[in-house]
């Protein structure tokens, strides 16, 4: 359950920082394209990739 909670928090933070002018759906589509298809990632791997994206210098648009 911890991974699930982390995923939601990371989505929220990334949305505010990098995709503030986009809808949640647009943000999810873009992240799915950028960090890999969500459907093939475990919760732990998704947390790792979202954290990496959030820490990357190019994530702020």
């Amino acid at each position: 359950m911890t991974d699930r909670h982390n995923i939601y928090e990371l989505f929220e933070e990334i949305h505010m920082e990098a995709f503030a002018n986009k809808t949640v759906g647009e943000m999810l589509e873009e992240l799915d394209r950028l960090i890999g298809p969500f459907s093939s990632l475990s919760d732990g791997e998704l947390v790792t990739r979202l954290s990496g994206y959030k820490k990357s210098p190019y994530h702020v648009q």
Side-chain angles (χ1 to χ4, degrees):
M1 190 63 172
T2 301
D3 283 341
R4 241 345 118 118
H5 183 73
N6 290 337
I7 290 168
Y8 295 130
E9 284 185 1
L10 285 165
F11 277 146
E12 184 176 357
E13 291 170 9
I14 291 170
H15 187 233
M16 289 186 303
E17 292 176 12
F19 298 97
N21 296 326
K22 295 192 178 202
T23 66
V24 172
E26 290 170 332
M27 176 203 66
L28 291 174
E29 287 176 357
E30 186 68 15
L31 284 175
D32 189 59
R33 184 185 67 78
L34 290 170
I35 66 171
F38 297 154
S39 61
S40 66
L41 302 175
S42 67
D43 286 355
E45 181 65 22
L46 185 55
V47 167
T48 300
R49 291 189 185 196
L50 287 171
S51 295
Y53 179 80
K54 186 175 179 319
K55 292 176 185 174
S56 66
Y58 54 85
H59 88 281
V60 178
Q61 297 178 0

